[in-house]
Amino acid sequence: MVDLKKTLLVATALFMVAGTQAQESKKWYDNLKFSGYGMLQYQGVDKENAHTNSFNLRLARFILDGKIGDFDWRAQIQGTNAKGPAEPTVQLVDLYAEWRKYPEFKIRAGQFKRAFTFENPTHPITQGWRGYADVINRLSGFGDRAGEKSSGGRDIGVQLAGDILPNSSGRKLLHYQVGVYNGEGVNRSDKNNQKDIIGGLWVMPVKGVRVGAFGWKGSHGGMVTKDGNNENVPLNRYCLSAEYDKDEFTFRTEYIHSQGWGTGVVGNNVINYDLGDKADGWYVFGIVPLIKSKLHAKARYQTYRVSKEWSSSVNQVECGLNYFFTKNLEMHLEYSHVNDRNLANHNYNLIDMELDFRF
């Protein structure tokens, strides 16, 4: 015979356990966020004997963010046509966890943006241009001069960062960050068992203003020398940065200097000694609102010198407009006049239009 009292007690206990599990499950889902964005592009270039005119799928990313206790985590997958038409690349670009209990001392581990330059970690859409400045692309781990696989400015490692020295209103005046990385870019283990050390420090004297400096000491393993040997090649870089970003006004400038032999070709490990062992570059831009939250005007000047010589410089003067249909849908229009002294005919023009959206 069934004991009704025991049955009720067991059923009550089961409901309590199920309720607790449901609450925990709900809490887990509450801390999980799926997002992403896409960037659609049209670009025309009138370079001599190399005219192009094409619609492109510039970039797509899918992001999962979550929180476990005092840890935040992120996983981000990217699809792009970086290799060229009909040769898409899909890869894991971010996978990290960060302990964030104290804003003065945060620890991040995994694969993420290197602690180098203001522009590198800027969102590709928020950055506001058809692409990062050439000097950022070539000297901070995108299509790097050193020959490293295109890595979107990322690497695998551990980073410490924090904001300290609050003023009377509680706003922090100083930021620091330092990371130890493999030095090989995304999804690659260390080739030479020597780690890259990258650090940055900036002051924020008034709201919206940052002035900082960065340093990078590292090496690349497995580089093929003129004797045909595989060797480690030192890599030493520094960056000086300044920015104002407030009320939809953004002004930023950075200078980067690099010392160390490179290949000049992404994904290649054969040293090109003709490039020399030094390179540098800089950019300055301004983005200002014409109609608040609706229409922005922009202008940028940039120079990149692959051999730290004017004869190897690529100089660009750019201007354009950014129009916001909504906060998650915007169109960018840009014109660029390029002076590339590596070409027989130095000058050409570029027009770029993008439709960017987030979800």
Side-chain angles (χ1 to χ4, degrees), residues 32-285:
L32 184 65
K33 178 184 177 183
F34 174 71
S35 62
Y37 56 93
M39 306 180 76
L40 311 176
Q41 179 186 59
Y42 167 83
Q43 190 172 96
V45 180
D46 67 353
K47 188 183 298 184
E48 186 176 22
N49 299 321
H51 287 208
T52 60
N53 178 353
S54 179
F55 294 103
N56 303 307
L57 304 178
R58 179 184 163 190
L59 191 65
R61 286 187 180 162
F62 303 94
I63 307 164
L64 276 177
D65 289 299
K67 187 175 181 62
I68 304 173
D70 295 324
F71 286 83
D72 287 357
W73 61 267
R74 166 169 285 195
Q76 182 173 198
I77 294 175
Q78 171 180 287
T80 180
N81 63 346
K83 288 185 178 181
E87 293 186 80
T89 298
V90 178
Q91 62 179 346
L92 181 69
V93 290
D94 282 315
L95 183 63
Y96 64 82
E98 184 173 61
W99 184 64
R100 301 177 60 88
K101 186 173 183 178
Y102 303 105
E104 300 82 5
F105 185 79
K106 296 175 287 188
I107 304 175
R108 179 179 293 188
Q111 182 166 282
F112 50 89
K113 288 280 190 175
R114 289 170 164 127
F116 195 68
T117 81
F118 284 166
E119 182 151 313
N120 178 18
T122 307
H123 192 291
I125 297 178
T126 305
Q127 190 262 349
W129 296 90
R130 61 184 170 85
Y132 297 97
D134 280 353
V135 67
I136 300 296
N137 285 323
R138 302 306 181 190
L139 299 181
S140 66
F142 286 75
D144 203 282
R145 174 186 190 272
E148 172 189 296
K149 174 186 175 184
S150 184
S151 298
R154 294 169 170 84
D155 207 339
I156 304 173
V158 178
Q159 174 186 281
L160 307 179
D163 297 295
I164 58 176
L165 302 182
N167 62 11
S168 58
S169 65
R171 187 177 61 82
K172 306 295 177 62
L173 301 177
L174 182 68
H175 175 89
Y176 72 91
Q177 54 189 47
V178 59
V180 180
Y181 308 88
N182 281 340
E184 304 295 343
V186 296
N187 307 320
R188 303 184 76 180
S189 58
D190 203 338
K191 288 184 178 180
N192 59 5
N193 296 321
Q194 297 179 6
K195 301 297 180 282
D196 286 13
I197 299 175
I198 305 175
L201 187 72
W202 62 79
V203 295
M204 299 168 281
V206 297
K207 190 173 182 179
V209 173
R210 297 190 293 170
V211 180
F214 301 82
W216 179 343
K217 186 171 182 59
S219 64
H220 279 287
M223 301 290 281
V224 179
T225 68
K226 56 188 174 185
D227 299 321
N229 299 320
N230 289 339
E231 296 184 4
N232 293 329
V233 175
L235 177 67
N236 301 292
R237 292 174 177 172
Y238 68 83
C239 175
L240 303 176
S241 310
E243 178 187 76
Y244 175 81
D245 187 5
K246 185 181 177 185
D247 298 329
E248 299 185 28
F249 288 85
T250 304
F251 301 92
R252 184 161 65 242
T253 183
E254 297 192 277
Y255 170 81
I256 305 177
H257 182 275
S258 176
Q259 185 274 321
W261 297 108
T263 71
V265 179
V266 176
N268 191 299
N269 66 338
V270 180
I271 297 172
N272 183 349
Y273 290 95
D274 292 337
L275 298 180
D277 71 337
K278 293 182 177 64
D280 71 350
W282 55 89
Y283 71 88
V284 57
F285 78 68

Side-chain angles (χ1 to χ4, degrees), residues 340-352:
D340 185 344
R341 300 188 183 182
N342 301 281
L343 302 176
N345 188 341
H346 300 332
N347 299 307
Y348 63 91
N349 302 290
L350 181 152
I351 294 177
D352 186 274

Side-chain angles (χ1 to χ4, degrees), residues 292-332:
K292 191 174 178 62
S293 302
K294 203 69 176 174
L295 181 64
H296 292 173
K298 59 185 180 181
R300 178 169 71 173
Y301 173 79
Q302 57 170 312
T303 291
Y304 171 62
R305 303 192 298 178
V306 68
S307 301
K308 203 184 175 184
E309 299 284 348
W310 280 108
S311 60
S312 70
S313 68
V314 180
N315 312 284
Q316 299 186 58
V317 178
E318 302 159 274
C319 61
L321 297 170
N322 296 338
Y323 181 78
F324 300 83
F325 297 97
T326 70
K327 67 178 182 178
N328 292 324
L329 178 65
E330 58 192 86
M331 178 171 284
H332 297 177

